[in-house]
Amino acid sequence: MKSAALVYGTSAYLIFLGTFLYAIGFVTQYIVPKTIDTGAPTSLTNALAINLLLLSTFAVQHSGMARQGFKRLFARFASPVIERSSYVLLASLTLLLLFWQWQPIPTVIWNIESPALAGLVIAGEFLGWLIVLYSTFLISHFELFGLTQVISHFAGRLTAPVKFKTPGLYRLIRHPIYLGFIIAFWSTPVMTLGHLMFASVTTAYIFVGIWLEERDLVALFGDEYRKYRERVAMLLPGLF
């Protein structure tokens, strides 16, 4: 069972890694075959309906499986050791479904024609993705994506209890990962209606996710997190 959990967790992590890299290409429209603006356009009504369904499917999975109630339910049927890996795996699969079935809406909202300004925006786009990745390592990247748990289980070690910590960017803002995603999704020299829908809905979901996540963090860490929330901005230092 330990070997099976290790193989499962490692496979889930590798699928996540591939999905994350594809997500960068999907939004930035580099290298990957299917991006946010490629594909045969369908009617506006169909595109909006399909895309909203895809985004909703990811949101329900991503938030639902992160709640403590689901974790307790999961533990009744499977080992808690692979709970995080299962979460990561299903999140990756729902994202891959989104990338595959996403319907482009090519109407242009804005188009930055200045090469210098367009280059600056593109740099901001990749900076957003870098913030996301860097922030995951600040709070234990491999534990966040389930790899630490299965390796510790395989080695016969107990996983250390979760401790509240605020390294690096977390001293300035409470949610640098979410900030990185917002920057990455909105920084584009050519904004189509399809991209605008993706950025708008995911940003709205991010704020819902922050509310749910902070509710869980208060329940887990109590006054320690309440004090942190009072003194540190949510997304923009000194502002918000």
PDB file of all heavy atoms in Angstrom, residues 50-63:
ATOM      1  N   ILE A  50     -20.957  27.062 -22.653  1.00  0.00           N
ATOM      2  CA  ILE A  50     -19.965  25.996 -22.475  1.00  0.00           C
ATOM      3  C   ILE A  50     -18.832  26.458 -21.568  1.00  0.00           C
ATOM      4  O   ILE A  50     -18.422  25.742 -20.644  1.00  0.00           O
ATOM      5  CB  ILE A  50     -19.423  25.532 -23.842  1.00  0.00           C
ATOM      6  CG1 ILE A  50     -20.527  24.823 -24.627  1.00  0.00           C
ATOM      7  CG2 ILE A  50     -18.207  24.615 -23.666  1.00  0.00           C
ATOM      8  CD1 ILE A  50     -20.165  24.527 -26.060  1.00  0.00           C
ATOM      9  N   ASN A  51     -18.334  27.662 -21.815  1.00  0.00           N
ATOM     10  CA  ASN A  51     -17.216  28.164 -21.019  1.00  0.00           C
ATOM     11  C   ASN A  51     -17.614  28.364 -19.552  1.00  0.00           C
ATOM     12  O   ASN A  51     -16.835  28.065 -18.641  1.00  0.00           O
ATOM     13  CB  ASN A  51     -16.697  29.475 -21.599  1.00  0.00           C
ATOM     14  CG  ASN A  51     -16.028  29.278 -22.944  1.00  0.00           C
ATOM     15  OD1 ASN A  51     -15.720  28.156 -23.341  1.00  0.00           O
ATOM     16  ND2 ASN A  51     -15.814  30.360 -23.679  1.00  0.00           N
ATOM     17  N   LEU A  52     -18.817  28.867 -19.336  1.00  0.00           N
ATOM     18  CA  LEU A  52     -19.275  29.058 -17.966  1.00  0.00           C
ATOM     19  C   LEU A  52     -19.437  27.717 -17.244  1.00  0.00           C
ATOM     20  O   LEU A  52     -19.102  27.590 -16.071  1.00  0.00           O
ATOM     21  CB  LEU A  52     -20.601  29.827 -17.958  1.00  0.00           C
ATOM     22  CG  LEU A  52     -21.126  30.234 -16.577  1.00  0.00           C
ATOM     23  CD1 LEU A  52     -20.111  31.119 -15.855  1.00  0.00           C
ATOM     24  CD2 LEU A  52     -22.461  30.963 -16.708  1.00  0.00           C
ATOM     25  N   LEU A  53     -19.914  26.710 -17.965  1.00  0.00           N
ATOM     26  CA  LEU A  53     -20.041  25.372 -17.383  1.00  0.00           C
ATOM     27  C   LEU A  53     -18.672  24.805 -17.022  1.00  0.00           C
ATOM     28  O   LEU A  53     -18.490  24.209 -15.946  1.00  0.00           O
ATOM     29  CB  LEU A  53     -20.751  24.443 -18.364  1.00  0.00           C
ATOM     30  CG  LEU A  53     -20.920  22.980 -17.912  1.00  0.00           C
ATOM     31  CD1 LEU A  53     -21.753  22.908 -16.641  1.00  0.00           C
ATOM     32  CD2 LEU A  53     -21.561  22.150 -19.020  1.00  0.00           C
ATOM     33  N   LEU A  54     -17.698  24.985 -17.905  1.00  0.00           N
ATOM     34  CA  LEU A  54     -16.344  24.499 -17.640  1.00  0.00           C
ATOM     35  C   LEU A  54     -15.732  25.193 -16.422  1.00  0.00           C
ATOM     36  O   LEU A  54     -15.136  24.540 -15.553  1.00  0.00           O
ATOM     37  CB  LEU A  54     -15.456  24.726 -18.867  1.00  0.00           C
ATOM     38  CG  LEU A  54     -15.789  23.888 -20.106  1.00  0.00           C
ATOM     39  CD1 LEU A  54     -15.046  24.426 -21.328  1.00  0.00           C
ATOM     40  CD2 LEU A  54     -15.436  22.417 -19.879  1.00  0.00           C
ATOM     41  N   LEU A  55     -15.890  26.502 -16.351  1.00  0.00           N
ATOM     42  CA  LEU A  55     -15.347  27.254 -15.219  1.00  0.00           C
ATOM     43  C   LEU A  55     -16.061  26.889 -13.921  1.00  0.00           C
ATOM     44  O   LEU A  55     -15.424  26.769 -12.869  1.00  0.00           O
ATOM     45  CB  LEU A  55     -15.476  28.757 -15.489  1.00  0.00           C
ATOM     46  CG  LEU A  55     -14.543  29.318 -16.571  1.00  0.00           C
ATOM     47  CD1 LEU A  55     -15.003  30.701 -17.003  1.00  0.00           C
ATOM     48  CD2 LEU A  55     -13.106  29.377 -16.062  1.00  0.00           C
ATOM     49  N   SER A  56     -17.357  26.668 -13.997  1.00  0.00           N
ATOM     50  CA  SER A  56     -18.126  26.295 -12.805  1.00  0.00           C
ATOM     51  C   SER A  56     -17.727  24.911 -12.309  1.00  0.00           C
ATOM     52  O   SER A  56     -17.639  24.674 -11.095  1.00  0.00           O
ATOM     53  CB  SER A  56     -19.627  26.339 -13.101  1.00  0.00           C
ATOM     54  OG  SER A  56     -20.032  27.633 -13.474  1.00  0.00           O
ATOM     55  N   THR A  57     -17.484  23.995 -13.245  1.00  0.00           N
ATOM     56  CA  THR A  57     -17.060  22.651 -12.868  1.00  0.00           C
ATOM     57  C   THR A  57     -15.750  22.696 -12.093  1.00  0.00           C
ATOM     58  O   THR A  57     -15.594  22.047 -11.049  1.00  0.00           O
ATOM     59  CB  THR A  57     -16.889  21.765 -14.115  1.00  0.00           C
ATOM     60  OG1 THR A  57     -18.144  21.679 -14.799  1.00  0.00           O
ATOM     61  CG2 THR A  57     -16.411  20.368 -13.744  1.00  0.00           C
ATOM     62  N   PHE A  58     -14.806  23.492 -12.591  1.00  0.00           N
ATOM     63  CA  PHE A  58     -13.537  23.628 -11.879  1.00  0.00           C
ATOM     64  C   PHE A  58     -13.740  24.275 -10.516  1.00  0.00           C
ATOM     65  O   PHE A  58     -13.167  23.833  -9.508  1.00  0.00           O
ATOM     66  CB  PHE A  58     -12.552  24.460 -12.700  1.00  0.00           C
ATOM     67  CG  PHE A  58     -11.285  24.770 -11.950  1.00  0.00           C
ATOM     68  CD1 PHE A  58     -10.312  23.800 -11.782  1.00  0.00           C
ATOM     69  CD2 PHE A  58     -11.077  26.023 -11.401  1.00  0.00           C
ATOM     70  CE1 PHE A  58      -9.147  24.069 -11.074  1.00  0.00           C
ATOM     71  CE2 PHE A  58      -9.920  26.305 -10.682  1.00  0.00           C
ATOM     72  CZ  PHE A  58      -8.955  25.326 -10.519  1.00  0.00           C
ATOM     73  N   ALA A  59     -14.556  25.321 -10.448  1.00  0.00           N
ATOM     74  CA  ALA A  59     -14.767  26.036  -9.186  1.00  0.00           C
ATOM     75  C   ALA A  59     -15.382  25.130  -8.126  1.00  0.00           C
ATOM     76  O   ALA A  59     -14.959  25.131  -6.963  1.00  0.00           O
ATOM     77  CB  ALA A  59     -15.651  27.257  -9.418  1.00  0.00           C
ATOM     78  N   VAL A  60     -16.386  24.339  -8.519  1.00  0.00           N
ATOM     79  CA  VAL A  60     -17.049  23.449  -7.570  1.00  0.00           C
ATOM     80  C   VAL A  60     -16.077  22.391  -7.059  1.00  0.00           C
ATOM     81  O   VAL A  60     -15.989  22.121  -5.852  1.00  0.00           O
ATOM     82  CB  VAL A  60     -18.288  22.789  -8.211  1.00  0.00           C
ATOM     83  CG1 VAL A  60     -18.837  21.677  -7.320  1.00  0.00           C
ATOM     84  CG2 VAL A  60     -19.368  23.832  -8.465  1.00  0.00           C
ATOM     85  N   GLN A  61     -15.321  21.792  -7.975  1.00  0.00           N
ATOM     86  CA  GLN A  61     -14.341  20.777  -7.562  1.00  0.00           C
ATOM     87  C   GLN A  61     -13.266  21.391  -6.677  1.00  0.00           C
ATOM     88  O   GLN A  61     -12.936  20.854  -5.612  1.00  0.00           O
ATOM     89  CB  GLN A  61     -13.714  20.135  -8.800  1.00  0.00           C
ATOM     90  CG  GLN A  61     -12.629  19.093  -8.495  1.00  0.00           C
ATOM     91  CD  GLN A  61     -11.262  19.713  -8.220  1.00  0.00           C
ATOM     92  OE1 GLN A  61     -10.874  20.691  -8.843  1.00  0.00           O
ATOM     93  NE2 GLN A  61     -10.530  19.146  -7.284  1.00  0.00           N
ATOM     94  N   HIS A  62     -12.736  22.513  -7.112  1.00  0.00           N
ATOM     95  CA  HIS A  62     -11.597  23.125  -6.442  1.00  0.00           C
ATOM     96  C   HIS A  62     -11.951  23.590  -5.035  1.00  0.00           C
ATOM     97  O   HIS A  62     -11.182  23.391  -4.088  1.00  0.00           O
ATOM     98  CB  HIS A  62     -11.083  24.299  -7.285  1.00  0.00           C
ATOM     99  CG  HIS A  62      -9.736  24.796  -6.878  1.00  0.00           C
ATOM    100  ND1 HIS A  62      -9.563  25.917  -6.103  1.00  0.00           N
ATOM    101  CD2 HIS A  62      -8.490  24.322  -7.134  1.00  0.00           C
ATOM    102  CE1 HIS A  62      -8.278  26.118  -5.902  1.00  0.00           C
ATOM    103  NE2 HIS A  62      -7.603  25.171  -6.515  1.00  0.00           N
ATOM    104  N   SER A  63     -13.117  24.185  -4.877  1.00  0.00           N
ATOM    105  CA  SER A  63     -13.528  24.655  -3.553  1.00  0.00           C
ATOM    106  C   SER A  63     -14.128  23.545  -2.713  1.00  0.00           C
ATOM    107  O   SER A  63     -13.863  23.442  -1.513  1.00  0.00           O
ATOM    108  CB  SER A  63     -14.543  25.803  -3.691  1.00  0.00           C
ATOM    109  OG  SER A  63     -13.909  26.973  -4.140  1.00  0.00           O
TER     110      SER A  63
END
